Amino acid sequence: MNRLSERVEKIFSQMVEWRRRFHMEPELSFREERTPARVAEILREWGIDVRTGVGGRGVVGTLTGGRPGKTVALRADMDALPIQDEKSCEYRSRVPGVMHACGHDGHMAVLLGVARLFSEMREEIPGRVRFLFQHAEEVIPGGARQMIEDGALEGVDAVYGVHLWTPLPVGVVGIKAGPLMAAADFFQIDVFGKGGHGGLPHESVDAIVIASHLILHLQTLISRQVDPLKSAVISVGTIQGGQGFNVIAERCTLTGTVRTFDPVLRDELHRRIREIAEKTCSLYGATCRVEYQWGYPAVINDTVEAHRMAGVARRIVGDDRVWEIQPVMAAEDFAYYLGKVPGAFCFVGAGNPEKNCDFPHHHPRFDFDERAMKVAAQLLLSSALTYLRDEGRREKADEPAS
């Protein structure tokens, strides 16, 4: 582990340079052009097999080790967000209204560093390492499913990923087996009433009043109809209706999100939201249209691989700096990879108030402590190597005696 730590330390300045360049030149989901081209160019410099345009905009690099063995995949995301960068620093985004406000620039820099180090120790590797640089993580549908459909996981036996995470202090790793991040779905409900004069409500069907009742009814799904030992969230994010202060609205539109971990509960909430919308509107003499979009499934870590990754983390940062965290209601399309092969995803602490690295993700002043990239790189390197070596020893032990 010390040898890997020294190798990461030697290329840390290069990772910082990559990260800052990506940060200055962000690209939105499904519009990634310069970013994947740059990633592919760097990977090819180290003799790594590269496929571009995977699933649309993704890049997949494959490195074959000097000895036979399993295949492990490591993933980084590449897209930025439609947010104006309000930081004051030399690497501030140069693209108006677009910035890396979630750490994807760091994820790319980390995985490039890991790829470089693996290329330098190619002959020591028992198996193959696949580097997944994924487009469009920030939108639904994301790029993960597209890349999988285009063969990104073919032949892969395990997959790992990390997320630089400012809610945790730098030097801490947060992980748990089982559900880690929520499934995220989207709904839009259009309420259709009957417009009229604000002074003559009895001649109208007020879509805004009906929508208000609907919002309250939706909240009782969580407070009174979901097992309190199970986690779920329904949040109405927008309500839009009406054209004037003295006009009763004929139409009102609600949009919101549903977050769950349990797939059975996820299906049930979908059914009940539609049912409550229709019956609430009917009660008040209105009609409605419900559109429901299934988003990312929940990120559910494989128990064996989560324990393996946690064990690796303890050797890197120490037992007291590896925290078993509570599940997070944010979503991640890394879930699609875990739905195909065993693996684990974890949070690498990147918060530091002394460096103004304590703003939440997706904030205009978001930044992270770049030292977190050293922990993330060691974690991906060591998790992949540990898996390949452990599985290699297991296969050898299972061979029949001659």
Side-chain angles (χ1 to χ4, degrees):
M1 196 67 72
N2 287 337
R3 191 161 61 103
L4 289 180
S5 174
E6 291 171 2
R7 288 180 171 180
V8 169
E9 190 67 48
K10 286 180 180 179
I11 67 164
F12 177 59
S13 61
Q14 176 69 81
M15 288 196 294
V16 170
E17 182 182 328
W18 286 325
R19 181 258 164 158
R20 294 186 178 188
R21 177 170 174 179
F22 288 134
H23 195 87
M24 289 188 287
E25 301 174 355
E27 295 179 298
L28 293 172
S29 307
F30 294 116
R31 300 181 191 176
E32 304 93 338
E33 294 181 1
R34 297 184 308 274
T35 303
R38 177 63 177 150
V39 165
E41 177 187 12
I42 294 170
L43 292 176
R44 289 189 177 109
E45 289 175 4
W46 304 318
I48 293 172
D49 255 352
V50 175
R51 282 182 63 206
T52 58
V54 180
R57 306 269 181 173
V59 177
V60 174
T62 302
L63 183 144
T64 302
R67 291 178 282 151
K70 299 278 191 177
T71 299
V72 63
L74 306 173
R75 177 269 208 162
D77 32 21
M78 299 190 292
D79 55 330
L81 287 154
I83 298 173
Q84 178 63 42
D85 194 345
E86 295 181 1
K87 293 191 301 299
S88 296
C89 61
E90 61 182 14
Y91 52 88
R92 179 181 174 180
S93 171
R94 296 175 180 173
V95 182
V98 182
M99 73 172 287
H100 278 291
C102 203
H104 296 188
D105 49 340
H107 300 166
M108 288 185 283
V110 165
L111 193 53
L112 285 173
V114 170
R116 172 179 169 177
L117 292 178
F118 269 125
S119 72
E120 293 173 357
M121 52 195 295
R122 189 187 307 258
E123 295 308 311
E124 305 171 38
I125 300 172
R128 289 174 298 278
V129 184
R130 187 164 297 168
F131 308 101
L132 309 178
F133 288 86
Q134 182 203 311
H135 61 298
E137 187 277 328
E138 295 286 6
V139 295
I140 296 174
R145 189 165 60 180
Q146 295 178 339
M147 289 185 65
I148 292 169
E149 291 170 353
D150 200 9
L153 285 184
E154 285 182 10
V156 170
D157 300 294
V159 61
Y160 299 103
V162 299
H163 201 308
L164 299 174
W165 197 242
T166 58
L168 295 177
V170 66
V172 166
V173 173
I175 190 170
K176 72 178 294 294
L180 179 69
M181 301 182 75
D185 303 320
F186 164 84
F187 63 85
Q188 176 174 315
I189 303 173
D190 295 300
V191 178
F192 302 103
K194 179 183 177 183
H197 194 288
L200 303 169
H202 60 290
E203 296 179 355
S204 307
V205 177
D206 193 331
I208 289 179
V209 170
I210 296 167
S212 301
H213 283 285
L214 177 53
I215 291 171
L216 295 177
H217 291 162
L218 290 175
Q219 293 309 311
T220 64
L221 274 175
I222 303 300
S223 65
R224 287 296 178 266
Q225 297 181 50
V226 170
D227 183 340
L229 299 180
K230 293 183 178 180
S231 298
V233 171
I234 296 176
S235 293
V236 175
T238 69
I239 175 168
Q240 298 174 333
Q243 296 178 325
F245 76 96
N246 61 346
V247 179
I248 289 177
E250 183 169 358
R251 175 174 174 171
C252 188
T253 298
L254 313 175
T255 63
T257 185
V258 182
R259 306 291 170 122
T260 54
F261 292 102
D262 184 292
V264 175
L265 177 58
R266 187 185 187 194
D267 288 340
E268 176 68 8
L269 288 178
H270 165 239
R271 183 183 67 80
R272 291 290 287 138
I273 286 171
R274 186 177 298 276
E275 184 176 70
I276 285 175
E278 291 171 351
K279 291 185 176 180
T280 300
C281 290
S282 176
L283 176 66
Y284 294 103
T287 59
C288 70
R289 178 176 61 222
V290 180
E291 297 179 12
Y292 200 93
Q293 181 177 354
W294 297 96
Y296 302 156
V299 173
I300 301 178
N301 280 335
D302 178 82
T303 299
V304 171
E305 299 312 324
H307 288 163
R308 193 195 310 268
M309 201 175 199
V312 168
R314 291 188 186 97
R315 295 197 296 273
I316 295 170
V317 299
D319 291 351
D320 61 334
R321 306 287 281 174
V322 178
W323 299 353
E324 183 174 353
I325 61 173
Q326 293 297 312
V328 176
M329 280 295 180
E332 241 283 356
D333 71 350
F334 193 84
Y336 289 117
Y337 302 112
L338 293 176
K340 295 293 183 180
V341 297
F345 190 75
C346 74
F347 297 114
V348 175
N352 186 348
E354 295 180 1
K355 294 186 175 183
N356 292 321
C357 297
D358 56 346
F359 290 95
H361 290 248
H362 296 203
H363 189 281
R365 293 180 63 189
F366 174 84
D367 204 356
F368 62 84
D369 190 325
E370 291 172 326
R371 294 175 300 168
M373 294 193 295
K374 292 191 279 190
V375 176
Q378 287 185 67
L379 190 53
L380 289 178
L381 269 166
S382 298
S383 295
L385 281 173
T386 300
Y387 176 86
L388 292 172
R389 289 167 178 168
D390 286 352
E391 292 304 308
R393 284 193 290 268
R394 183 175 290 110
E395 285 191 341
K396 190 171 183 180
D398 289 342
E399 291 177 0
S402 56

